[in-house]
Amino acid sequence: MAKPPKTVFVCQECGSQSPKWLGRCGDCGAWNSFVEERGQEAAVAAADSPHRYALAGAAGARLYSEIELEQHARITTGIDEFDRVLGGGIVPGSLVLLGGEPGIGKSTLLLQAAANVARTAGAVLYSSGEESEHQIKSRGERLAVGTAPLYLLAETCLERILEEIARIKPALVIVDSVQTVFSLKFQSAPGSIGQVREAATQLLFTAKGHNIPIFLVGHITKDGSLAGPKALEHVVDTVLYFEGERHHSHRVVRAVKNRFGAASELGVFEMTSAGLRPVPNPSKMFLAERPVNAPGSAVLCSVEGSRPILVEVQALVSGSTYGNARRMASGIDQARLSLLLAVLEKRAGLNLIGDDVFVNVAGGMTVDEPASDLAVLAAIASSVRNRAIPATAAMFGEVGLAGEVRGVTQAALRVREAAQMGFRRCILPAANIDPGTRLPPARQGRSGDPLPTSSDPNASGGGNGLGSAEDEWELIGVRTVGEALDALLT
Ligand code: TYD
Ligand code: MG
């Protein structure tokens, strides 16, 4: 039998291994991602140990019907918005990865949560490989950590961290960051995929074995992905991701994966001089600086997870002085913008050839659901025609290649949020109004009649909690982009 190779080359993106260096990973297609790693024998030896892959209590296969349902008593982080993204608090024994760019607030949020948990649920271990105890403490002073039983450990050696966990038996562990942790079993550098995966796996066993929730902080690589994302994402229970611009004070934490709650759930925060403060009404914040009666501004009713959020989509169309027109999207997908521009030219008769088009979701928000299409098109058309969309109108809807406006999910939720935020008119896909097809769920159980539309003689009085001033409230169902633009821009 051939001896196992002493060195292997490991793709830092997906963890795929090769005996020799490759320019491009055959598995995930990443370029220049192979790094030489050692310590294969140690890994093999560790894999031979019988307990390595055994989770505590997993004695053998058990009958589904004999397994009692465990009611996880969740631990609250003391920060509403953070609890919300986690699906209602921290699940004991869960492993959570919190990713984000440097300086966005990962350490701040976790230190705040750590202090709160220490106050209510018992000892917390905050292990940092990035800052000294003194640095953490001086930050903690700003965050008013106080006298809670919070243990700080400036350590990068995985085995030492595991020892401290066994000694302190904390209610919560935070490892900041997983890329600084290294295991003595491996000789490769901290941050390499082998080390990161080993750290995550060992911490997973600790979390499950001792029922201690563990948070891992993960760094974002240059191209915006978590370093070693594929390797970590399936190991952890929950992946949270910090979004936002460093120049803005607000931050968004999004659940990308959650075994214990809805994915794409959002938590919204504001960075203040005393740490991150939850923002209970994000729609209000995102619309705070909206210019009224300015062309190129459209209000979108989007839904993130279970939460409706109104955001402003802005567009600017201006004649290009140079040969090739530019199309820039921030906050929406660039490819989606190209597609929507083609639809606008072909189906709504707008001539955009030779124009620069800039689209931006205000406040640094990112929207990636198709329901945003209509608002993007409306904002662009509004800028082209130099005519403002009424300030009291909000909209949503997916747009197809034929220029048709398609129904979207959770229409009732979106409509209700618009009404609550004081909007008087909502432009939505006709399919979301028609009772026979996709009626907004909240409406379905109550009565068979459709939501009131503008063509409906009894247009007022939705009676669905759609707003206080029901007489002024108007829902306009549209079938095509043309209809939508007529409703908004005339
Ligand atoms: P930090 O949590 O250190 O970021 P990360 O761990 O994601 O790298 O956040 C640091 C930034 O937050 C820094 O620019 C200063 C700012 N900040 C405040 O504005 N207020 C505060 O109370 C704290 C602690 C930090
Ligand atoms: Mg940090």
Side-chain angles (χ1 to χ4, degrees):
M1 234 179 83
K3 266 181 76 184
K6 286 218 169 62
T7 41
V8 283
F9 291 86
V10 182
C11 170
Q12 300 297 302
E13 289 294 324
C14 72
S16 156
Q17 297 191 349
S18 157
K20 62 181 195 328
W21 190 83
L22 298 175
R24 183 167 190 244
C25 175
D27 284 349
C28 70
W31 288 96
N32 201 17
S33 62
F34 276 85
V35 167
E36 184 178 355
E37 287 187 10
R38 258 179 232 102
Q40 184 75 356
E41 284 132 309
V44 172
D48 290 341
S49 121
H51 301 298
R52 186 175 156 87
Y53 292 108
L55 293 184
R62 287 170 68 195
L63 212 54
Y64 175 84
S65 58
E66 285 174 4
I67 296 167
E68 319 81 60
L69 204 62
E70 258 180 41
Q71 274 305 339
H72 297 295
R74 293 183 184 243
I75 306 167
T76 172
T77 60
I79 306 167
D80 297 346
E81 292 290 305
F82 198 22
D83 282 348
R84 171 193 275 272
V85 258
L86 288 165
I90 309 170
V91 175
S94 63
L95 186 63
V96 181
L97 177 67
L98 176 63
E101 287 172 21
I104 197 136
K106 302 181 293 295
S107 306
T108 305
L109 180 63
L110 289 179
L111 191 60
Q112 283 178 271
N116 290 339
V117 172
R119 245 173 256 134
T120 56
V124 175
L125 176 64
Y126 188 107
S127 161
S128 177
E130 313 211 323
E131 291 161 301
S132 70
E133 286 108 340
H134 302 289
Q135 281 172 311
I136 303 172
K137 171 126 190 174
S138 69
R139 181 203 305 258
E141 292 300 292
R142 294 171 68 179
L143 306 177
V145 168
T147 54
L150 175 62
Y151 292 84
L152 302 182
L153 175 69
E155 184 57 71
T156 54
C157 172
L158 176 64
E159 283 74 18
R160 282 280 303 128
I161 296 172
L162 294 177
E163 265 171 44
E164 286 300 294
I165 295 176
R167 188 176 71 85
I168 300 170
K169 298 194 177 52
L172 173 70
V173 175
I174 287 154
V175 178
D176 186 1
S177 64
V178 68
Q179 278 103 344
T180 57
V181 175
F182 75 97
S183 164
L184 295 173
K185 281 193 239 152
F186 286 82
Q187 277 136 43
S188 46
S192 66
I193 190 118
Q195 290 285 15
V196 167
R197 199 163 36 179
E198 176 66 10
T201 317
Q202 288 298 333
L203 289 165
L204 176 75
F205 294 151
T206 306
K208 304 291 171 198
H210 301 277
N211 211 27
I212 299 172
I214 302 183
F215 279 83
L216 305 177
V217 171
H219 285 300
I220 303 288
T221 53
K222 286 191 293 294
D223 55 359
S225 59
L226 286 167
K230 300 278 186 324
L232 280 193
E233 272 184 12
H234 67 262
V235 174
V236 301
D237 296 309
T238 303
V239 180
L240 307 178
Y241 201 81
F242 247 109
E243 286 172 10
E245 291 172 28
R246 287 176 64 180
H247 324 288
H248 286 278
S249 65
H250 76 265
R251 304 277 184 272
V252 171
V253 178
R254 192 188 293 270
V256 179
K257 162 188 172 178
N258 196 350
R259 287 195 182 135
F260 310 110
S264 85
E265 197 67 77
L266 276 194
V268 185
F269 301 90
E270 193 185 342
M271 183 62 96
T272 67
S273 57
L276 287 156
R277 195 179 58 80
V279 176
N281 188 348
S283 297
K284 194 172 161 198
M285 188 187 72
F286 284 118
L287 295 182
E289 288 165 66
R290 181 169 65 111
V292 173
N293 291 329
S297 161
V299 174
L300 159 70
C301 315
S302 75
V303 170
E304 302 286 350
S306 62
R307 165 188 255 182
I309 296 184
L310 302 188
V311 291
E312 185 202 354
V313 179
Q314 296 187 321
L316 181 65
V317 179
S318 67
S320 175
T321 18
Y322 305 103
N324 45 353
R326 287 199 293 168
R327 272 86 212 269
M328 304 266 283
S330 95
I332 66 160
D333 183 36
Q334 183 84 37
R336 194 81 196 164
L337 174 61
S338 306
L339 184 149
L340 292 175
L341 286 173
V343 171
L344 208 50
E345 293 204 347
K346 198 89 180 168
R347 310 288 174 199
L350 258 66
N351 185 8
L352 298 163
I353 297 172
D355 283 334
D356 289 336
V357 179
F358 304 94
V359 174
N360 177 38
V361 179
M365 241 320 250
T366 307
V367 222
D368 63 356
E369 54 164 3
S372 61
D373 292 351
L374 196 57
V376 173
L377 286 188
I380 296 170
S382 158
S383 178
V384 171
R385 296 192 188 161
N386 205 20
R387 185 171 283 173
I389 293 169
T392 52
M395 68 207 75
F396 60 89
E398 179 179 351
V399 173
L401 290 186
E404 81 279 19
V405 177
R406 297 164 163 257
V408 300
T409 55
Q410 292 172 298
L413 199 61
R414 298 170 199 265
V415 167
R416 211 172 302 130
E417 177 74 2
Q420 263 164 20
M421 290 303 296
F423 286 83
R424 293 280 155 261
R425 201 193 289 179
C426 189
I427 319 299
L428 72 166
N432 282 122
I433 289 183
D434 184 7
T437 53
R438 269 164 287 167
L439 193 69
R443 185 82 180 155
Q444 219 148 23
R446 307 181 74 136
S447 65
D449 56 324
L451 290 171
T453 65
S454 58
S455 53
D456 191 334
N458 314 311
S460 60
N464 193 19
L466 291 177
S468 43
E470 281 171 5
D471 346 302
E472 299 167 43
W473 177 248
E474 195 181 13
L475 280 180
I476 305 176
V478 292
R479 281 175 188 79
T480 63
V481 172
E483 274 178 44
L485 297 186
D486 287 348
L488 287 165
L489 295 175
T490 46

